[in-house]
Amino acid sequence: PSVKPRRAGGRGWNLLAPLNSGVSFGAAHFAETTYYFEGGLRKVRPYYFDFRTYCKGRWVGRSLAHVFSTEFRAQPLACYRAAARAGRLRLNEQPVRDLDTVLKNNDFLRNTVHRHEPPVTAQPIQILVEDDEVVVVDKPSSLPVHPCGRFRHNTVIFILGKEHNLKELHTIHRLDRMTSGVLMFAKTAEVSKRIDEQVRQRQLEKEYVCRVVGEFPENEVVCEEPILVVSYKVGVCRVDPKGKSCKTIFQRLSYNGKTSVVKCLPHTGRTHQIRVHLQYLGYPIVNDPIYNMKAWGPERGKGGKIDKTDEELLKALVEEHRSKQSLDVLGISEEDLNPTDTKDPERGEIPACLQNCDANLETLEKHKETSSCENWDGSVGEKGSEEKDPLCMECKITRRDPSPKELVMYLHALRYKGAEFEYCSKMPEWAMEDWEE
């Protein structure tokens, strides 16, 4: 069956790979780069990667320059011209020398980039269960389940493939990047289909635990406020009458005088459902990097009171994280937020970072060879002395690393139960009754 390309995030290209991770990634993908560990963080060495896409219908009859300048604005047009000079832009597998080339139906574009990934926690993925049918893991906070946006190797799917030789796994359910806990994969399409049917029949039960601000009510609390997505790029939602219907049941487990541990039973699976409902109730998760921020106003969004337009809210959230140099916690970069207005070098204004970078194909292949890692053995070591890429703007930026503490959010998937199975993880340390910050 045909597979609809999915968004590859950050650079505006589509990856021609199915969303379901079964049979998508193999040895060649896993060998693109290596990990190293530093300061409690798992890091990925920068590597060369091809973003690929077929010509969209709306591009037909338009020049490459026009398409890049209007739809792929995360990089200045100067970057694409430099990439073309270096042989990194290909049209139907032929090097592009002229961005004035007009696109035709079914044209195939390939853009080779020097890719950087944000760091994640160095905490290992614990395998809870593995048999002939399923793999169940305890996912650490900060790890996306599958490649998305700026993350590829720093994802559960890639780490399991590279470090545990668990490949061709089928995603059954998802957890938010900042949520830790029980995560289940099927080993075969048949098992995936069987469990998917239980999902459709609402036969699955999920139980979460979190630590929230303040003294949560002792009695059971039910929240059925509808939730609306404000921004898919930043990943922000809020309660709104126009949103999708949902229901979460909450029960307090303990209170230490400052914060409460709460059990959460979501009856639906909306994006950020537990986090948004807790914010609405006035008890946001203690260290939620989105829903417990000053940007929501003095009440932090309690009762849906925000007093900002969606655009103002997003801007305030981004500015708050920018001031803390913590945009990576949101999984975004400055380039994602600020499409550049750098002028066309043919008009005489070329960014300094792109001057004198007419690398040729031979140079590109040399860089590729330098960054390859065919003999990856999973060893832990210091960052290598890989070359800087002359065309890579990210190579010229020094970013503050998040601390391991910043990469933990106090929301954990504790239990996942179906008609024929039940999987549980240990209670997180921060959820213990006598725990204090």
Side-chain angles (χ1 to χ4, degrees):
S2 62
V3 177
K4 186 177 181 180
R6 63 179 171 83
R7 206 72 173 159
R11 300 188 187 265
W13 292 73
N14 286 331
L15 286 181
L16 304 178
L19 186 59
N20 187 316
S21 56
V23 306
S24 293
F25 305 110
H29 303 107
F30 298 142
E32 290 164 347
T33 184
T34 59
Y35 300 116
Y36 66 101
F37 296 85
E38 182 177 72
L41 302 174
R42 176 190 291 268
K43 297 184 176 182
V44 173
R45 290 185 172 85
Y47 57 101
Y48 287 94
F49 182 78
D50 287 344
F51 283 104
R52 302 168 292 162
T53 184
Y54 282 101
C55 177
K56 308 289 184 277
R58 64 182 179 274
W59 302 350
V60 174
R62 293 164 60 184
S63 70
L64 282 167
H66 187 262
V67 171
F68 287 141
S69 62
T70 57
E71 301 210 21
F72 301 139
R73 296 182 300 142
Q75 300 291 336
L77 190 56
C79 283
Y80 295 107
R81 293 198 185 281
R85 290 195 298 273
R88 300 187 188 189
L89 267 181
R90 291 178 171 262
L91 180 63
N92 301 322
E93 301 303 351
Q94 297 300 313
V96 172
R97 300 301 182 190
D98 185 2
L99 293 193
D100 291 328
T101 300
V102 174
L103 291 168
K104 303 184 300 295
N105 193 32
N106 290 327
D107 274 349
F108 179 69
L109 277 167
R110 182 191 300 267
N111 181 24
T112 301
V113 301
H114 196 233
R115 188 164 177 175
H116 295 242
E117 296 191 27
V120 297
T121 178
Q123 182 183 342
I125 297 174
Q126 181 186 356
I127 296 179
L128 300 175
V129 175
E130 184 190 355
D131 56 30
D132 293 338
E133 293 194 335
V134 299
V135 175
V136 185
V137 304
D138 189 350
K139 182 185 92 67
S141 183
S142 79
L143 271 176
V145 175
H146 55 77
C148 57
R150 301 175 67 210
F151 296 90
R152 179 170 170 85
H153 288 264
N154 263 348
T155 61
V156 175
I157 285 288
F158 266 68
I159 294 171
L160 290 179
K162 293 169 75 140
E163 296 186 346
H164 299 274
N165 200 34
L166 291 168
K167 302 169 184 176
E168 301 185 0
L169 298 177
H170 297 257
T171 303
I172 291 173
H173 66 115
R174 310 280 166 81
L175 290 178
D176 291 344
R177 186 171 69 87
M178 294 300 291
T179 304
S180 58
V182 177
L183 180 64
M184 186 176 177
F185 298 95
K187 283 191 170 181
T188 67
E190 291 75 21
V191 174
S192 178
K193 185 176 179 181
R194 189 175 76 227
I195 299 175
D196 281 344
E197 185 59 32
Q198 293 184 38
V199 173
R200 283 192 291 271
Q201 299 293 329
R202 295 185 180 271
Q203 295 177 340
L204 296 182
E205 296 178 20
K206 291 178 279 187
E207 179 181 328
Y208 292 75
V209 64
C210 63
R211 184 171 285 278
V212 303
V213 174
E215 184 176 4
F216 197 85
E218 278 191 283
N219 297 329
E220 181 180 276
V221 175
V222 179
C223 187
E224 298 183 85
E225 297 295 330
I227 291 177
L228 180 73
V229 177
V230 173
S231 169
Y232 288 99
K233 175 178 279 189
V234 182
V236 179
C237 303
R238 61 176 172 80
V239 165
D240 189 282
K242 299 188 294 292
K244 292 183 177 180
S245 62
C246 46
K247 177 181 179 180
T248 317
I249 297 175
F250 299 101
Q251 180 65 60
R252 192 179 90 186
L253 299 179
S254 65
Y255 174 58
N256 67 3
K258 295 179 181 178
T259 59
S260 305
V261 176
V262 178
K263 179 171 71 173
C264 319
L265 302 173
H267 285 229
T268 47
R270 308 302 182 200
T271 302
H272 296 181
Q273 177 176 319
I274 291 172
R275 299 161 66 184
V276 173
H277 275 175
L278 285 167
Q279 179 199 44
Y280 181 85
L281 293 171
Y283 304 95
I285 292 171
V286 170
N287 54 357
D288 193 317
I290 294 178
Y291 301 103
N292 189 22
M293 302 291 285
K294 294 177 181 177
W296 295 87
E299 295 291 311
R300 304 276 172 123
K302 179 180 179 180
K305 186 178 179 182
I306 302 170
D307 295 333
K308 286 185 175 77
T309 66
D310 288 348
E311 291 74 19
E312 290 169 342
L313 172 62
L314 289 172
K315 183 178 180 181
L317 277 170
V318 167
E319 286 303 322
E320 192 168 347
H321 276 286
R322 185 180 276 141
S323 68
K324 299 176 182 178
Q325 293 187 300
S326 59
L327 283 175
D328 271 348
V329 175
L330 296 179
I332 57 176
S333 68
E334 290 284 355
E335 290 74 22
D336 296 330
L337 297 168
N338 295 323
T340 180
D341 292 323
T342 307
K343 294 191 177 180
D344 191 327
E346 289 195 353
R347 297 179 183 173
E349 299 185 42
I350 306 177
C353 65
L354 296 176
Q355 292 175 5
N356 303 317
C357 59
D358 284 318
N360 56 26
L361 284 168
E362 184 179 343
T363 305
L364 172 59
E365 291 306 317
K366 179 186 175 188
H367 280 304
K368 277 187 172 179
E369 289 168 11
T370 303
S371 66
S372 67
C373 50
E374 294 177 5
N375 296 320
W376 187 84
D377 60 2
S379 59
V380 177
E382 293 301 310
K383 185 175 183 178
S385 56
E386 68 273 359
E387 291 184 45
K388 299 282 187 179
D389 182 89
L391 304 190
C392 179
M393 299 181 77
E394 188 76 14
C395 279
K396 297 166 177 62
I397 299 172
T398 302
R399 298 190 188 279
R400 180 188 72 85
D401 280 339
S403 67
K405 183 180 177 182
E406 286 178 276
L407 295 180
V408 175
M409 184 175 71
Y410 300 154
L411 176 61
H412 182 83
L414 191 64
R415 185 172 64 97
Y416 198 62
K417 181 180 180 181
E420 307 160 352
F421 60 83
E422 181 173 357
Y423 302 114
C424 300
S425 73
K426 292 180 180 178
M427 189 75 87
E429 186 177 329
W430 51 257
M432 300 302 179
E433 187 170 351
D434 58 351
W435 181 89
E436 288 188 14
E437 188 84 49

